């Protein structure tokens, strides 16, 4: 493959200004992430220490193989919810290496509201188990939760993708022969009792671990029976009487060591075959991505420069370079894995939509995973393009994306607006992993367009009654819409709502994709099949 020739002048004032701006955004993101991971009221830390408990990240460190990476999901989940009082949505999820095996880790964070499940805790947990199902990854559950947060029970209990989906997903994993280990480090109460109950193996810590459908206070209220935690659902009872738990442990360290030993017995999966070659660092420094990205979301830039700083050797075989130029398509390698890449260099026209659909078919036929690098304002609109069939051609691309059998990976690099998000494998289209960069934005349309559209509708409504609005009255309609759109199209809102699998530093994109590609190949790639393409 030919190396991309960068056209950037990294010494230019514009590049340096962009770099300074985006480095600051990356630093702000990392500080937010640090606070979410580590800042807790001292009373909560003291409470856990008095119970001889480790903090959740101390537990994960003991679980992971030393020196191996941990790809954390949705680290800033719930950052815009619950008045900011539930950092990380009260749980930590991600992919790590345990005893040489890739596993999904699902860990309750008892330093946040006792590890209580909020609606976004449930959504984050369900997503982690979806990832385990899609990529056939074993799961290690580190269980320590106060149960569902009762004041919000209506938002976490009854519907299809609420708490019951956690247990359904556990059952699906078992049906697929994908093993799960639970380490009971605290109380598993009510529905939470089914997490270890539905696992293939579980370990429970004497004195702090407990499993029961109702704790002692509720048992007394319901039946009048008085019973201690240990007698009701403690370590010795469950490992010697009920058989609900398998392995007793005298400490968290011992319990996690047992879990590591259990995972070491798991059969290693046969990876799906895809072309691979020895990895090669990009020729261009990935940290230069900060200077590539413009400060204004509406300003265009050449996505070849992004690709050059992510792929092996900065080498790229471009497909149809002279046709449909607003969509870049081609082949490269990331950490040795061959991938197809689709990257936006402008609005999707008829030709670029057809080019994208055809290239997706080629990747699917060759069993080549696909990476979508989004910077898209949408499909082109207007009389001329409708007459050419832009709706029909856009539908072809969406059909190809939806029916794709190979693993897909999506990175929100800049803007992601309108149906362009769909054509470029947005969240609804089952990418194995979706990541956002700190400055990226996503919404049905840009904030200014939305505000102007709503103001224009109101003006025309009033014009029919003979009333004309002053500029101040127009601004009073427009400005609140503009402010709300800007707030809710930011990457921080998206990741808070778990519309992605986490914000990542642009310079870390290559590593995140490498881990994701490796994990995805645990699942066999099916034969290409498509729906009906409207011709």
């Amino acid at each position: 493959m030919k190396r991309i020739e960068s056209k950037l002048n990294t010494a230019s004032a514009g590049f340096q200004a962009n770099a300074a701006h985006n480095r600051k955004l990356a630093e702000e993101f990392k500080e937010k992430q640090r606070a979410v991971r580590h800042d807790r009221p001292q009373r909560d830390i003291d409470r856990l220490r008095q119970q001889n408990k480790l903090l959740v990240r101390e537990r994960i460190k003991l679980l992971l193989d030393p020196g191996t990476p941990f790809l954390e999901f949705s680290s800033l989940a719930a950052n815009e919810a619950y008045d900011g009082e539930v950092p990380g949505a009260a749980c930590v999820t991600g992919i790590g290496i345990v005893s040489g095996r890739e596993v999904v880790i699902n860990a309750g964070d008892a330093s946040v509201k006792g590890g209580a499940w909020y609606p976004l805790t449930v959504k984050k947990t369900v997503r982690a188990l979806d990832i385990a199902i899609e990529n056939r990854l074993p799961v290690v559950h580190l269980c320590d939760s106060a149960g569902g947060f009762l004041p919000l029970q209506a938002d976490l209990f009854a519907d299809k993708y609420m708490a019951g989906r956690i247990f359904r997903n556990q059952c699906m994993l078992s049906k697929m022969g994908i093993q799960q280990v639970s380490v009971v480090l605290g109380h598993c109460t009510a529905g939470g009792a089914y997490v270890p109950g539905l696992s293939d193996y579980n370990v429970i810590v004497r004195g702090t671990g407990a499993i029961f459908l109702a704790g002692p206070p509720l048992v007394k209220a319901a039946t009048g029976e008085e019973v201690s935690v240990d007698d009701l659902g403690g370590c010795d009872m469950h490992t010697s009487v009920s058989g609900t738990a398998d392995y007793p442990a005298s400490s968290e360290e011992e319990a996690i060591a047992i879990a590591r030993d259990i995972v070491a017995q798991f059969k290693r999966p046969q990876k799906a075959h895809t072309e691979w070659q020895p990895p090669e660092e990009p020729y261009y420094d990935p940290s230069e991505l900060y200077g590539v990205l413009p400060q204004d979301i509406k300003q265009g830039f050449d996505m070849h420069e992004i690709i050059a700083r992510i792929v092996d050797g900065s080498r790229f075989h471009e497909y149809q370079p002279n046709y449909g130029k607003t969509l870049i398509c081609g082949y490269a390698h990331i950490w040795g894995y061959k991938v197809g890449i689709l990257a936006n260099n402008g609005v999707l026209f008829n030709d670029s939509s057809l080019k994208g659909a055809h290239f997706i078919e080629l990747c699917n036929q060759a069993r080549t995973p696909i990476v979508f690098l989004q910077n898209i304002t949408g499909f082109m609109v207007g009389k001329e393009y409708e007459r050419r069939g832009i709706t029909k051609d856009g539908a072809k691309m969406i059909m190809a994306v939806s029916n794709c059998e190979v693993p897909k990976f999506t990175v929100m690099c800049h803007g992601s607006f309108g149906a362009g998000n769909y054509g470029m494998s947005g969240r609804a289209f089952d990418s194995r992993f979706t990541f956002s960069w700190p400055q990226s934005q996503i919404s049905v349309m840009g904030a200014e367009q939305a505000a102007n559209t709503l103001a224009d509708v109101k003006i025309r409504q009033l014009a029919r009654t003979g009333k004309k609005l002053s500029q101040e009255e127009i601004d009073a309609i427009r400005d609140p819409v503009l402010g709300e759109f800007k707030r809710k199209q930011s990457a921080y809102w998206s990741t808070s709502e778990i519309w992605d699998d986490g914000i990542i530093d642009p310079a870390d994109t290559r590593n995140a994709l490498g881990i994701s590609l490796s994990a995805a190949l645990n699942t066999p790639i099916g034969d290409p099949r498509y729906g009906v393409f409207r011709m």
Side-chain angles (χ1 to χ4, degrees):
M1 293 182 183
K2 183 180 178 182
R3 179 180 295 150
I4 294 173
E5 292 186 15
S6 176
K7 296 179 174 60
L8 286 178
N9 177 4
T10 58
S12 70
F15 182 94
Q16 295 299 325
N18 286 343
H21 174 79
N22 287 302
R23 282 184 189 278
K24 182 180 179 183
L25 293 182
E27 288 165 5
E28 290 172 353
F29 157 63
K30 288 177 180 177
E31 173 54 25
K32 287 177 182 286
Q33 194 173 59
R34 185 209 61 78
V36 160
R37 287 172 170 172
H38 302 294
D39 289 356
R40 298 290 185 273
Q42 189 60 45
R43 67 178 184 276
D44 291 327
I45 296 173
D46 292 342
R47 170 177 53 82
L48 295 176
R49 297 302 189 205
Q50 289 165 7
Q51 297 171 356
N52 295 317
K53 288 184 175 183
L54 299 172
L55 300 178
V56 64
R57 294 182 187 275
E58 295 172 336
R59 292 166 172 173
I60 291 172
K61 185 177 179 180
L62 284 176
L63 179 66
L64 295 172
D65 291 357
T68 58
F70 177 57
L71 179 61
E72 184 174 352
F73 304 141
S74 303
S75 61
L76 299 184
N79 78 92
E80 299 278 340
Y82 317 126
D83 298 319
E85 294 181 356
V86 190
C91 66
V92 180
T93 62
I95 293 176
I97 309 297
V98 177
S99 298
R101 279 83 172 162
E102 293 166 315
V103 304
V104 167
I105 295 170
N106 169 37
D109 186 351
S111 70
V112 180
K113 309 294 184 182
W117 289 1
Y118 282 69
L120 285 170
T121 316
V122 170
K123 186 175 183 180
K124 183 173 175 178
T125 305
V126 169
R127 173 59 186 154
L129 295 180
D130 282 342
I131 287 170
I133 290 170
E134 292 165 357
N135 301 288
R136 299 197 179 185
L137 294 171
V139 182
V140 177
H141 303 273
L142 301 180
C143 306
D144 192 354
S145 171
F149 185 66
L150 292 179
L152 296 179
Q153 66 83 26
D155 298 318
L156 62 81
F157 174 69
D159 206 357
K160 181 175 181 179
Y161 291 102
M162 293 182 179
R165 194 73 175 186
I166 296 172
F167 314 128
R168 177 266 183 194
N169 278 2
Q170 285 191 265
C171 294
M172 292 302 102
L173 286 164
S174 184
K175 177 182 178 181
M176 296 167 68
I178 301 167
Q179 292 171 301
Q180 299 172 76
V181 181
S182 283
V183 187
V184 181
L185 302 156
H187 288 189
C188 294
T189 308
Y194 291 111
V195 174
L198 291 168
S199 295
D200 301 271
Y201 303 90
N202 65 66
V203 187
I204 184 169
V205 178
R206 184 176 290 108
T208 54
I211 305 168
F212 31 54
L213 296 181
L218 185 54
V219 168
K220 183 176 180 180
T223 69
E225 179 183 14
E226 293 193 14
V227 61
S228 70
V229 168
D230 284 341
D231 286 342
L232 182 63
C235 171
D236 292 325
M237 192 284 288
H238 276 313
T239 56
S240 64
V241 179
S242 75
T244 300
D246 305 314
Y247 302 88
S250 58
S251 67
E252 293 199 5
E253 291 85 351
E254 182 186 5
I256 291 170
I258 293 170
R260 283 181 48 81
D261 198 33
I262 292 168
V263 174
Q265 313 312 312
F266 292 175
K267 182 179 178 181
R268 296 180 187 274
Q270 184 69 40
K271 295 270 189 178
H273 176 73
T274 190
E275 186 177 321
W276 186 88
Q277 64 185 32
E280 182 183 358
E281 289 293 321
Y283 179 78
Y284 301 102
D285 187 345
S287 68
E288 292 177 353
L289 288 168
Y290 301 126
V292 175
L293 294 166
Q295 300 173 52
D296 185 349
I297 198 73
K298 292 179 286 187
Q299 183 178 338
F301 61 97
D302 187 357
M303 287 291 283
H304 289 94
E305 303 288 354
I306 299 291
I307 297 169
R309 289 157 179 84
I310 292 175
V311 303
D312 290 8
S314 303
R315 302 180 192 282
F316 185 60
H317 173 87
E318 187 164 359
Y319 171 74
Q320 287 192 325
N322 295 323
Y323 179 72
K325 290 186 176 183
T326 59
L327 182 66
I328 300 167
C329 299
Y331 300 105
H333 290 80
I334 297 176
W335 277 105
Y337 296 105
K338 184 178 180 181
V339 297
I341 294 176
L342 287 87
N344 303 115
N345 248 10
V347 67
L348 287 165
F349 289 96
N350 299 75
D351 53 1
S352 45
S353 301
L354 293 171
K355 172 180 170 180
H358 187 74
F359 183 70
I360 291 167
E361 289 182 285
L362 293 174
C363 290
N364 210 23
Q365 184 182 61
R367 289 175 164 76
T368 302
I370 303 175
V371 174
F372 294 85
L373 301 177
Q374 286 201 4
N375 179 30
I376 181 64
T377 57
F379 291 93
M380 190 61 190
V381 298
K383 178 181 177 181
E384 176 186 352
Y385 301 100
E386 291 294 353
R387 291 174 70 86
R388 291 186 192 175
I390 186 63
T391 300
K392 183 172 65 173
D393 293 340
K396 291 186 181 75
M397 188 172 178
I398 291 171
M399 182 69 75
V401 168
S402 301
N403 292 160
C404 201
E405 293 287 341
V406 299
K408 304 188 294 280
F409 309 86
T410 302
V411 182
M412 308 281 191
C413 297
H414 209 51
S416 179
F417 298 109
N421 168 273
Y422 298 166
M424 290 294 292
S425 196
R427 189 62 154 173
F429 292 84
D430 296 326
S431 285
R432 298 290 183 88
F433 300 91
T434 299
F435 301 110
S436 300
W437 286 355
Q439 87 298 338
S440 66
Q441 297 179 12
I442 178 172
S443 62
V444 70
M445 62 179 69
E448 288 80 6
Q449 293 94 323
N452 290 336
T453 298
L454 291 175
D456 186 58
V457 169
K458 188 67 175 177
I459 290 167
R460 285 189 281 111
Q461 285 176 342
L462 294 172
R464 287 195 290 268
T465 66
K467 183 176 180 181
K468 185 176 181 181
L469 293 178
S470 68
Q471 187 59 49
E472 290 78 11
E473 290 172 319
I474 293 172
D475 290 343
I477 296 170
R478 184 180 182 277
D479 290 349
V481 175
L482 184 63
E484 188 70 355
F485 251 76
K486 285 184 175 180
R487 184 171 78 92
K488 290 189 176 179
Q489 71 184 22
S490 76
Y492 289 108
W493 179 271
S494 298
T495 207
S496 176
E497 294 294 308
I498 317 181
W499 295 347
D500 59 23
D501 295 312
I503 296 176
I504 57 174
D505 183 333
D508 291 335
T509 302
R510 170 179 165 79
N511 292 336
L513 288 173
I515 295 170
S516 301
L517 279 158
S518 177
L521 293 176
N522 288 306
T523 298
I525 297 173
D527 294 328
R529 297 179 63 187
Y530 297 100
V532 175
F533 289 84
R534 182 176 291 277
M535 299 301 178

